[in-house]
């Protein structure tokens, strides 16, 4: 049974009723972020029940020393982790000296939570009866500003319902936090100073080893019935913690509120010596603006994001809520302003995956950011990898590669590999292909070839070198083969000739050769620079070509399909439909050994290749491969359903595409994988966007033009999306009867709809 407590709503994620069993799931689902920092939806006041505390700062990490049973040469020394950072949301509340703690209250009624996606805030309200029988009604609103991205704000409002009382608010900053995920139970932070200046508070800390300096700050105001109060406060300092204490009397029916402005400034953006001044400036901005104005600015800033990124779905509230949740979370995780940041699979919603960068960004996230933001954002994501090229070369050297060959890390914070399971670190090398594919995809979509001569070509050369060195010539097959790899399907390890890996390797070499020729012709200066730097010579190019022309691909004549890897047909092929439901998910029910021997596929593998290189194959071939592989795919990676949704739509199987769509878009909301407590699946959310735009909308870029092949799921009245294509915005609205295009630009564009070329003029609806 999937979880189903989230109330359907078009613009909000809603929970009703307090249930301690759901607290951790909701902490993930109601997470907030602003692209620079983010946090789980932990309660502000003390909560003694089960909870998973998390507040994260983009780019601030700790190299947690690797812990493995059998150390293998080439393993990275550490696994980088985005850390649970000092807590600034804390506001302990005492009513007549009794602590407010939802876990110990006599009664909690009318509990609701809302993640308001339109305006970008989290709100929680409830009526609680404390152990001392005082009844209070609480409404706590919190957001992380996307306008001033070092700032967060909380309005914690209490109405006393049944008596006159004294309320004590204790807003605090706590640097004494730990990570749930820590290999050696070490502390990751050291508090340097706990400091106050009037009612401004600061906790200065640094991460151990990486030495990121962070100043966590706060300032609070007390209001009675909306009027600011001049309340005396006391302060308590401990080694890691600063607490201010405000006591106020309130009569029955009065509303008391504590407004807390807080956040982080770090030495990634300020001089260390300026961290207190910088924090103080943010606080001045906050207190001068006030909560309502900040919230208003937040709403306006989110409205701008939605203006471009929104997808509407009429006639299916759950599907609508699903897509908006995905778009919202992606924007909370990454807004593209800083090329040092990236999109971790859990974003700012949990610790798993270390908050680091995976191939997910290149394979899944780039299209979303390219189409819904300025193209510079996607370029920043590409530049992130360019900036890590030297580290990727070092990484390959550690494994014995030479001559500037690069292996990009499976997982990284700063360019260094930080994954340490041999079958993935050393073998899941297909990730290198995604780096090049993203460059190709960017150029295809934006038409901005300049990225290649300026930066991309160096990356491509280093990767082509890697592939050429990674294969070996098989006399037996008279072809180049690639041994000992793990494909995208991680339920197979150390296989030979994973079709996807061989295919993308060949393609990377060919695309690199083609790009070298283009750069030589059109950007001679860059060509000279890159050739000088890489010392590439004709002999090497000839070797690459020899490999690309003679790559081996496992194929089954009998089934008419490429085989996922050598020996795949030795497996017992049993469709999942015949597997007892109690056996799933197999990664929670079966031993690893059993999984490896089974035919079951975790996520698109051969089909991932068919997705990337759709034009290389006929529809018939796609259909054959889809029918062969999908029935044995368990979709136990969040990245799987979206690819299948797009392909099912292309094959005209709209119903199946819709099922996959729901699965990807509501993966977390309905907790399909039964693990949402650990955080949300952020990167696959971009796949949800693709399922609509590329799947149902059938959008592709062909020969510098957009093309569409729209279909619509039965339950939907219509859906619409917008794409920024080469600095013009095209809105597409699809219903069963027609598709309407609207261009917000200045120049007419030619697009292809259902195979026919048509012209769309600016600011005129065009219906097909
Ligand atoms: C998937 C990988 C993915 C990673 C992070 C794994 O479960 O198999 O393809 O990169 O999760 O999302």
């Amino acid at each position: 049974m999937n979880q189903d407590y989230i109330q359907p709503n078009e613009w909000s994620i809603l929970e009703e009723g307090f249930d301690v069993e759901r607290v951790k799931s909701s902490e993930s689902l109601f997470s907030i972020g602003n692209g620079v920092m983010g946090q789980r939806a932990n309660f502000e006041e003390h909560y003694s029940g089960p909870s998973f505390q998390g507040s994260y700062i983009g780019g601030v990490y700790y190299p947690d020393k690797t812990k493995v049973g059998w150390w293998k040469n080439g393993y990275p020394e550490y696994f980088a982790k985005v850390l649970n950072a000092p807590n600034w949301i804390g506001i302990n509340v005492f009513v007549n000296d009794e602590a407010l703690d939802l876990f110990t209250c006599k009664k909690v009624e009318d509990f609701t939570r809302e993640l308001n996606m339109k305006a970008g805030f989290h709100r929680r309200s409830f009526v609680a009866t404390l152990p001392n029988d005082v009844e209070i009604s609480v409404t706590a609103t919190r957001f992380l500003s996307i306008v001033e991205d070092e700032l967060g704000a909380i309005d914690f409002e209490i109405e006393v319902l049944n008596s006159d009382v004294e309320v004590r608010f204790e807003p605090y900053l706590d640097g004494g936090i730990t990570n749930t995920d820590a290999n050696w139970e070490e502390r990751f932070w050291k508090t340097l100073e706990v400091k106050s200046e009037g009612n401004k508070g600061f906790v200065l800390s640094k991460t151990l080893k990486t030495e990121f300096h962070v100043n966590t700050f706060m300032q609070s105001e007390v209001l009675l019935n909306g009027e600011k109060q001049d309340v005396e406060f006391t302060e308590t300092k401990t080694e890691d913690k600063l607490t201010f204490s405000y006591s106020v009397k309130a009569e029955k029916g009065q509303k008391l509120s504590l407004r807390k402005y807080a956040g982080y400034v770090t030495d990634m953006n300020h001089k260390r010596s300026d961290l207190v001044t910088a924090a103080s400036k943010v606080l001045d901005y906050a207190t001068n603006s006030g909560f309502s104005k900040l919230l208003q600015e937040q709403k306006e800033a989110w409205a701008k994001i939605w203006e471009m990124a929104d997808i509407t779905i009429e006639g299916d509230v759950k599907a609508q809520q699903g897509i908006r949740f995905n778009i919202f979370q992606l924007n909370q995780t990454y807004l593209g302003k800083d090329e040092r940041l990236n999109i971790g699979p859990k974003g700012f919603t949990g610790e798993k995956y270390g908050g680091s960068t995976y191939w997910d960004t290149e394979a899944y996230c780039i299209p979303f950011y390219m189409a819904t933001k300025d193209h510079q954002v996607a370029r920043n994501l590409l530049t992130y990898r360019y900036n890590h090229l030297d580290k990727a070369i070092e990484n390959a050297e550690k494994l014995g590669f030479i001559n500037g060959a690069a292996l990009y890390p499976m997982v990284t914070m700063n360019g260094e590999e930080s994954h340490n399971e041999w079958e993935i670190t050393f073998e899941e090398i297909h990730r290198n292909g995604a780096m090049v594919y993203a460059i190709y995809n960017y150029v295809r979509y934006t038409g901005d070839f300049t990225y290649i001569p300026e930066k991309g070509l160096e990356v491509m050369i280093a990767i082509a070198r890697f592939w050429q060195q990674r294969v070996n010539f098989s006399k037996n097959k008279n072809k180049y083969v690639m041994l000992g790899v793990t494909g995208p399907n991680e339920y197979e390890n150390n296989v030979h000739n994973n079709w996807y890996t061989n295919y993308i390797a060949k393609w990377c070499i060919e695309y690199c050769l083609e790009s070298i020729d283009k750069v030589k012709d059109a950007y001679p200066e860059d060509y000279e620079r890159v050739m000088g730097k890489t010392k590439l010579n004709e002999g090497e190019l000839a070797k690459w070509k020899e490999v690309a022309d003679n790559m081996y691909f496992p194929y089954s004549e009998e089934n008419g399909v490429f085989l996922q890897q050598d020996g795949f047909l030795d497996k017992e092929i049993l469709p999942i439909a015949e597997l007892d439901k109690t056996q799933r998910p197999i990664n929670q029910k079966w031993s690893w050994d059993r999984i490896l021997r089974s035919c079951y596929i975790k996520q698109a593998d051969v089909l991932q290749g068919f997705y990337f290189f759709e034009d290389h194959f006929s529809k018939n071939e796609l259909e054959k491969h889809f029918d062969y592989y999908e029935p044995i795919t368990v979709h136990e990676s969040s990245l799987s359903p979206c690819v299948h949704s797009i392909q099912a739509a292309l094959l005209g199987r709209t119903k199946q595409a819709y099922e996959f769509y729901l699965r990807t878009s509501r993966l977390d909301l309905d907790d399909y994988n039964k693990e949402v407590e650990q955080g949300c699946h952020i990167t696959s959310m971009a796949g949800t966007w693709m399922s609509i735009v590329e799947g149902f909308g059938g959008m592709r870029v062909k020969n510098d033009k957009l093309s569409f092949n729209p279909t619509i799921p039965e339950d939907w009245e219509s859906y619409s999306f917008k794409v920024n294509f080469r600095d013009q915005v095209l809105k597409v609205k699809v219903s069963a009867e027609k598709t309407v295009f609207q261009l917000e630009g200045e120049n007419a564009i030619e697009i292809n709809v259902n195979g026919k070329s048509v012209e769309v003029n600016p600011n005129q609806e065009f219906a097909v």
Side-chain angles (χ1 to χ4, degrees):
M1 183 53 191
N2 299 325
Q3 128 192 316
D4 64 354
Y5 70 83
I6 297 300
Q7 307 292 312
N9 182 285
E10 292 183 351
W11 273 111
S12 288
I13 304 304
L14 296 174
E15 174 183 6
E16 283 171 12
F18 181 63
D19 181 346
V20 287
E21 298 295 325
R22 298 197 304 230
V23 168
K24 286 207 226 166
S25 294
S26 292
E27 283 173 339
S28 297
L29 292 172
F30 292 79
S31 291
I32 51 175
N34 65 4
V36 169
M37 59 175 166
Q39 49 184 227
R40 292 172 58 77
N42 303 128
F43 298 160
E44 289 85 4
E45 77 282 6
H46 177 67
Y47 180 67
S48 56
S51 151
F52 172 15
Q53 298 287 309
S55 182
Y56 313 96
I57 310 172
V60 171
Y61 67 95
Y62 179 82
D64 198 15
K65 206 163 150 279
T66 302
K67 190 174 195 175
V68 283
W70 178 11
W71 184 269
K72 302 191 174 59
N73 278 347
Y75 268 172
E77 299 286 323
Y78 67 86
F79 193 127
K81 291 193 172 114
V82 159
L83 301 179
N84 182 19
N87 173 354
W88 59 252
I89 64 161
I91 305 173
N92 285 333
V93 178
F94 300 84
V95 184
N96 292 345
D97 279 332
E98 184 81 62
L100 167 65
D101 173 355
L102 288 189
F103 198 62
T104 58
C105 278
K106 276 194 172 166
K107 255 198 280 175
V108 181
E109 291 170 307
D110 300 336
F111 181 93
T112 57
R113 264 188 200 261
E114 179 189 11
L115 182 64
N116 186 311
M117 302 186 287
K118 195 168 194 174
F121 65 82
H122 171 250
R123 180 168 286 156
R124 187 169 53 106
S125 55
F126 55 87
V127 173
T129 310
L130 274 57
N132 61 6
D133 290 320
V134 176
E135 252 179 55
I136 56 172
S137 157
V138 172
T139 303
T141 309
R142 179 161 102 219
F143 62 92
L144 301 185
S145 171
I146 55 171
V147 178
E148 169 48 84
D149 55 26
E150 294 170 324
L151 176 71
I154 304 169
D155 178 32
F156 197 99
E157 190 186 79
I158 296 181
E159 184 181 343
V160 192
L161 300 178
N162 63 347
S163 54
D164 299 349
V165 293
E166 183 173 60
V167 175
R168 197 164 81 244
F169 288 112
E170 293 194 348
Y172 65 88
L173 301 173
D174 186 6
I177 33 77
T178 51
N179 256 50
T180 307
D181 177 18
N183 292 342
W184 303 91
E185 315 292 320
E186 288 171 343
R187 270 197 78 166
F188 296 158
W189 291 92
K190 181 173 165 47
T191 305
L192 302 171
E193 197 183 347
V194 175
K195 189 178 155 84
S196 57
E197 285 175 4
N199 65 351
K200 288 178 178 163
F202 310 99
V203 169
L204 290 132
S205 354
K206 68 168 185 177
T207 53
L208 295 164
K209 296 189 188 164
T210 36
E211 302 258 331
F212 286 103
H213 283 235
V214 173
N215 182 6
T216 310
F217 56 84
M218 68 168 173
Q219 184 171 1
S220 302
E221 293 166 349
V222 178
L223 288 88
L224 182 65
N225 286 338
E227 295 291 318
K228 254 193 230 170
Q229 305 292 301
D230 206 2
V231 183
E232 295 280 308
F233 63 95
T234 57
E235 64 174 46
T236 319
K237 287 181 185 158
T238 61
E239 201 182 325
D240 294 311
K241 196 169 169 182
L242 173 66
T243 308
F244 288 144
S245 178
Y246 300 82
S247 291
V248 208
K249 290 210 163 49
E251 290 164 16
K252 183 176 158 185
Q254 284 188 321
K255 282 188 179 162
L256 263 182
S257 131
L258 185 101
R259 294 199 173 154
K260 182 176 182 182
Y261 305 106
Y264 305 113
V265 287
T266 78
D267 66 349
M268 285 173 70
N269 301 312
H270 303 275
K271 279 206 245 150
R272 281 186 191 165
S273 53
D274 289 349
L275 288 179
V276 171
T277 329
S280 207
K281 242 171 130 177
V282 177
L283 287 172
D284 290 343
Y285 169 75
T287 48
N288 287 336
S289 306
F291 190 85
S292 313
K293 182 154 173 261
L294 292 172
L295 187 56
Q296 185 55 31
E297 282 174 4
Q298 176 84 342
K299 284 182 188 163
E300 287 162 14
W302 271 102
K304 273 202 196 122
I305 293 179
W306 284 115
E307 171 62 26
M308 188 57 220
D310 192 22
I311 290 187
T312 64
I313 298 175
E314 284 179 332
D316 187 343
V317 180
K318 281 191 141 190
Q320 174 70 80
Q321 186 180 38
I323 186 65
R324 288 210 171 113
F325 180 64
N326 287 241
I327 295 169
F328 182 67
Q329 288 291 5
L330 283 164
N331 277 288
Q332 294 209 105
T333 308
Y334 184 76
L335 286 165
K337 293 186 202 158
D338 186 340
E339 69 184 33
R340 294 167 301 178
L341 303 183
N342 210 285
I343 309 144
K346 290 266 173 269
F348 298 122
T349 69
E351 293 173 9
K352 208 177 158 202
Y353 296 113
S356 315
T357 309
Y358 282 64
W359 73 304
D360 305 28
T361 297
E362 284 72 23
Y364 292 85
C365 299
I366 294 254
F368 169 78
Y369 286 102
M370 271 191 314
T372 64
K373 300 213 182 291
D374 184 271
H375 296 156
Q376 187 59 35
V377 171
R379 207 179 151 117
N380 278 352
L381 287 171
L382 299 183
T383 302
Y384 175 94
R385 295 293 192 174
Y386 175 74
N387 292 340
H388 290 173
L389 177 59
D390 288 346
K391 293 255 170 64
I393 292 175
E394 264 173 47
N395 184 34
E397 277 169 1
K398 279 188 203 152
L399 305 186
F401 294 86
I402 54 168
N403 189 32
L407 176 59
Y408 274 88
M410 187 67 200
V411 180
T412 194
M413 279 306 299
N414 66 347
E416 284 167 30
E417 176 64 88
S418 67
H419 196 284
N420 46 39
E421 285 165 82
W422 65 270
E423 62 277 24
I424 290 184
T425 315
F426 304 148
E427 298 205 329
E428 206 177 328
I429 52 179
H430 69 79
R431 60 192 185 246
N432 247 4
M435 306 301 134
V436 181
Y437 186 78
I439 297 173
Y440 160 78
N441 208 4
Y442 170 81
V443 173
R444 174 174 64 173
Y445 190 86
T446 63
D448 172 20
F449 185 79
T450 64
Y451 181 75
I452 293 189
E454 284 170 28
K455 294 176 174 157
L457 190 60
E458 285 176 55
V459 171
M460 290 197 266
I461 290 173
I463 287 177
R465 283 178 158 156
F466 173 84
W467 291 126
Q468 183 254 310
Q469 292 173 37
R470 184 59 168 74
V471 295
N472 63 278
F473 187 72
S474 156
K475 279 199 192 146
N476 179 30
K477 294 192 161 71
N478 200 25
K479 290 276 181 194
Y480 285 91
V481 293
M482 199 157 354
L483 309 181
V485 302
T486 295
N489 168 22
E490 292 176 341
Y491 289 177
E492 300 273 2
N493 299 150
N494 202 33
V495 299
H496 298 331
N497 294 310
N498 168 257
W499 179 83
Y500 172 80
T501 310
N502 286 16
Y503 199 85
I504 205 160
K506 171 184 159 79
W507 173 83
C508 283
I509 294 179
E510 287 169 348
Y511 185 56
C512 183
L513 290 170
E514 187 189 312
S515 302
I516 291 173
D517 286 346
K518 277 198 194 155
V519 173
K520 191 175 180 181
D521 285 349
Y523 299 85
E525 274 178 30
D526 286 307
Y527 177 78
E528 288 307 322
R529 179 181 50 78
V530 175
M531 290 306 123
K533 192 166 169 189
T534 56
K535 303 198 174 43
L536 190 63
N537 60 46
E538 290 299 325
E540 207 180 341
L541 294 179
K543 269 198 225 157
W544 293 1
K545 194 164 173 338
E546 154 83 11
V547 168
D549 288 349
N550 294 290
M551 187 73 92
Y552 169 71
F553 297 106
Y555 185 76
S556 160
E557 293 290 346
E558 182 195 338
N559 298 289
V561 293
F562 290 109
L563 290 176
Q564 188 178 267
Q565 74 246 3
D566 279 355
F568 192 75
L569 287 182
D570 293 338
K571 301 212 161 214
E572 189 184 1
I573 311 273
L574 270 184
I576 287 155
E578 289 176 29
L579 190 71
D580 191 337
K581 280 207 173 72
T582 58
Q583 302 295 296
R584 296 181 64 189
I586 60 171
N587 69 12
Q588 289 173 20
K589 300 290 165 70
W590 287 6
S591 70
W592 189 242
D593 151 73
R594 187 169 175 196
I595 290 177
L596 289 179
R597 283 184 287 114
S598 81
C599 68
Y600 299 124
I601 299 174
K602 183 181 181 189
Q603 67 202 91
D605 191 300
V606 171
L607 292 179
Q608 180 75 35
F610 272 70
Y611 167 67
F612 275 173
F613 304 110
E614 191 181 279
D615 291 350
H616 300 189
F617 306 98
S618 69
K619 225 181 193 177
N620 235 338
E621 283 171 308
L622 171 66
E623 187 156 37
K624 251 190 171 164
H625 285 78
F626 191 89
D627 286 343
Y628 188 79
Y629 286 110
E630 197 290 317
I632 49 174
T633 303
V634 285
H635 306 289
E636 287 176 14
S637 158
S638 63
L639 301 174
S640 193
C642 57
V643 173
H644 291 84
S645 179
I646 296 166
Q647 290 175 334
L650 179 62
L651 293 173
R653 302 176 185 181
T654 314
K655 200 160 175 264
Q656 196 183 13
Y658 176 66
E659 280 158 19
F660 282 126
Y661 164 76
L662 273 190
R663 184 152 174 181
T664 171
S665 77
R666 298 192 58 92
L667 179 81
D668 292 318
L669 292 177
D670 297 340
D671 200 10
Y672 277 90
N673 289 359
K674 302 186 176 31
E675 54 175 23
V676 78
E677 289 186 2
Q678 300 170 8
C680 298
H681 297 83
I682 302 296
T683 45
S684 72
M685 294 185 179
T688 307
W689 179 90
M690 298 195 303
S691 304
I692 294 195
V693 176
E694 297 179 14
F696 301 130
M699 187 181 91
R700 303 286 186 274
V701 180
K702 290 186 181 155
N703 304 323
D704 290 315
K705 291 195 185 82
L706 286 177
S707 81
F708 297 88
N709 215 337
T711 52
I712 181 164
E714 227 176 61
D715 293 352
W716 297 3
E717 279 159 32
S718 74
Y719 63 95
S720 74
F721 58 86
K722 273 185 179 178
V723 290
N724 170 16
F725 185 67
R726 308 195 175 182
D727 298 326
Q728 302 218 98
V729 175
L730 184 68
K731 182 171 178 195
V732 183
K733 182 162 183 181
V734 182
S735 60
E737 301 76 45
K738 58 181 182 187
T739 303
V740 181
F741 297 92
Q742 236 181 324
L743 182 68
E744 293 168 13
E746 283 166 12
N747 307 312
I749 58 167
E750 211 182 295
I751 60 171
N752 192 294
V753 188
N754 299 327
K756 271 202 212 137
S757 183
V758 296
E759 196 176 83
V760 185
N761 289 303
N763 310 316
Q764 263 176 41
E765 286 196 353
F766 179 86
V768 187

